[in-house]
């Protein structure tokens, strides 16, 4: 079954080809792109499209690769031994299975999402090289090998906060989600707001792309922020009238707090608006 997007997710032809190529090659699919361009949602919608279970592993700065395999709870075992608990005789009672173990042991093929891998330590990707390549790992405490019953489809996302090791990149199929053009963005808006008035979408997208073009922005508004902004504008009649009455010479859009996320960018837009008024 080929992935072609879903009724809730607009996948470009390039993205469809990347997903299907990674599945064919049985390689992890490494997805990069601006925050808010639908990298995490891709895994969710791929699972829906293939009718497969999604196992998400959301990475934090404190995450360790070992946690994805398993953890040995030595403290609990020591406490139980002091209390005379008979469970201490079986060390497997104190093995906590991680997300990779869960994915490897699944009865059917699952989607394993390793989300925002670049948040972790630089050694994190290297520590998973063999496990993701061979789809197996060794449990030292029980002397057993955990091998994937059904090879999971692995989706790895990155926001490019850190460079990933070459050895890790070599084992992945890579795709960069380019920011959607206006035509693709129209399709995305239609998915989220079926039946929305075309004139509202046109006015909103004109303003949205104008803001993205402003040089010097620390954080350009993303797709998810556009969706939030449109939701606000459609909440009542005031929103659509604000769009229609918006002066194109003004750099600050109505309800800008949904699009602009830091004070530096707000001040930049305010300066541009002031300079525009002076020229006018």
């Amino acid at each position: 079954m080929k992935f072609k997007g879903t009724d809730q997710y607009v996948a470009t032809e390039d993205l469809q080809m990347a997903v299907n190529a990674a599945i064919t090659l049985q390689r992890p699919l490494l997805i990069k792109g601006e925050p808010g361009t639908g990298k995490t949602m891709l895994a969710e919608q791929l699972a829906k499209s293939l009718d497969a279970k999604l196992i998400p592993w959301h990475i934090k700065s404190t995450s360790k690769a070992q946690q994805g395999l398993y953890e040995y709870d030595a403290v609990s075992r020591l406490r139980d031994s002091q209390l005379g608990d008979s469970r201490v005789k079986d060390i497997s009672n104190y093995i906590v299975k991680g997300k990779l173990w869960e994915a490897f042991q699944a009865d059917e093929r699952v989607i394993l999402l390793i989300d925002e891998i670049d948040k972790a330590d630089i050694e994190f990707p290297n520590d998973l090289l063999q496990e993701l390549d061979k789809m197996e790992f060794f449990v030292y405490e029980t002397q057993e090998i955990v091998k994937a019953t059904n090879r999971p489809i692995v989706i790895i996302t990155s926001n490019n906060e850190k460079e990933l090791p070459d050895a890790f990149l070599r084992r992945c199929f890579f795709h960069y989600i380019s920011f959607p053009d206006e035509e693709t963005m129209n399709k995305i808006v239609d998915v989220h707001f079926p039946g929305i008035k075309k004139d509202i979408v046109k006015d909103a997208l004109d303003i949205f792309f104008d803001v993205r073009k402003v040089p010097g922005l620390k954080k350009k508004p993303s797709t998810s922020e556009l969706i939030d902004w449109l939701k606000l504008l459609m909440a009542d009649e005031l929103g659509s009238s604000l769009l229609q009455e918006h002066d194109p010479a003004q750099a600050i859009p109505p309800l800008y707090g949904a699009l602009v996320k830091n004070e530096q960018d707000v001040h930049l837009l305010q300066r541009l608006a002031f300079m525009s008024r002076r020229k006018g």
Side-chain angles (χ1 to χ4, degrees):
M1 183 177 178
K2 298 290 185 181
F3 176 67
K4 297 181 179 179
T6 68
D7 56 356
Q8 295 178 315
Y9 189 86
V10 177
T12 61
E13 189 174 334
D14 286 349
L15 180 56
Q16 293 176 37
M17 289 176 63
V19 172
N20 293 318
I23 294 173
T24 300
L25 292 173
Q26 296 188 331
R27 296 273 189 185
L29 175 60
L30 174 61
I31 295 287
K32 290 187 178 184
E34 288 184 34
T37 49
K39 298 186 296 295
T40 302
M41 188 180 290
L42 169 64
E44 296 167 356
Q45 294 302 312
L46 177 60
K48 179 181 177 182
S49 173
L50 301 180
D51 193 23
K53 179 183 178 182
L54 175 67
I55 299 178
W57 183 15
H58 300 292
I59 306 303
K60 302 177 182 178
S61 59
T62 55
S63 296
K64 301 296 180 186
Q66 183 63 35
Q67 294 169 334
L69 308 179
Y70 70 92
E71 291 184 278
Y72 169 51
D73 191 353
V75 175
S76 293
R77 192 180 186 209
L78 175 61
R79 184 186 63 242
D80 288 349
S81 67
Q82 292 171 338
L83 296 174
D85 195 320
S86 60
R87 296 194 328 136
V88 298
K89 296 177 182 177
D90 186 357
I91 197 170
S92 65
N93 290 325
Y94 302 92
I95 299 294
V96 181
K97 297 177 181 179
K99 297 293 185 180
L100 266 73
W101 193 327
E102 183 183 348
F104 287 3
Q105 277 199 330
D107 294 331
E108 298 179 344
R109 184 175 64 171
V110 300
I111 312 297
L112 173 63
L113 169 64
I114 304 178
D115 199 26
E116 298 188 330
I117 194 171
D118 52 323
K119 280 187 176 180
D121 184 84
I122 190 62
E123 290 304 320
F124 182 96
N126 280 333
D127 291 343
L128 288 177
L129 284 180
Q130 296 302 317
E131 289 76 9
L132 291 177
D133 197 20
K134 295 186 177 180
M135 287 290 158
E136 66 179 42
F137 61 88
F138 185 69
V139 184
Y140 293 95
E141 288 78 6
T142 60
Q143 297 293 296
E144 65 177 309
I145 295 175
V146 177
K147 192 176 180 68
T149 308
N150 296 286
R151 191 180 185 95
I153 298 172
V154 182
I155 306 291
I156 303 171
T157 71
S158 170
N159 288 325
N160 255 350
E161 291 182 11
K162 292 190 187 82
E163 286 295 325
L164 299 175
D166 288 345
F168 180 79
L169 295 174
R170 185 174 62 80
R171 288 167 168 82
C172 298
F173 190 92
F174 172 75
H175 182 75
Y176 182 85
I177 297 183
S178 300
F179 196 82
D181 57 22
E182 195 156 342
E183 181 183 347
T184 306
M185 195 64 85
N186 260 300
K187 294 178 182 176
I188 293 171
V189 171
D190 283 342
V191 164
H192 288 273
F193 305 104
I196 187 174
K197 294 179 181 178
K198 296 299 180 184
D199 55 341
I200 293 179
V201 176
K202 184 182 182 308
D203 292 341
L205 288 183
D206 285 346
I207 294 172
F208 173 76
F209 280 106
D210 282 346
V211 171
R212 280 187 58 86
K213 290 175 187 173
V214 172
L217 274 185
K218 187 174 182 181
K219 184 191 180 311
K220 295 179 180 180
S222 67
T223 309
S224 62
E225 285 147 356
L226 170 65
I227 299 304
D228 287 345
W229 187 49
L230 278 171
K231 194 179 293 183
L232 272 179
L233 293 172
M234 292 174 60
D236 52 42
E237 292 299 322
L238 176 63
S240 56
S241 63
L242 283 173
L243 272 185
Q244 292 167 355
E245 296 167 7
H246 178 66
D247 181 359
Q250 301 299 313
I252 300 183
L255 300 170
Y256 67 85
L259 293 177
V260 185
K261 298 299 184 178
N262 63 69
E263 64 279 8
Q264 176 182 314
D265 290 345
V266 173
H267 293 157
L268 175 61
L269 292 176
Q270 286 173 338
R271 286 198 301 274
L272 289 174
F274 175 72
M275 290 169 63
S276 176
R277 285 196 298 270
R278 288 194 65 182
K279 288 179 180 177

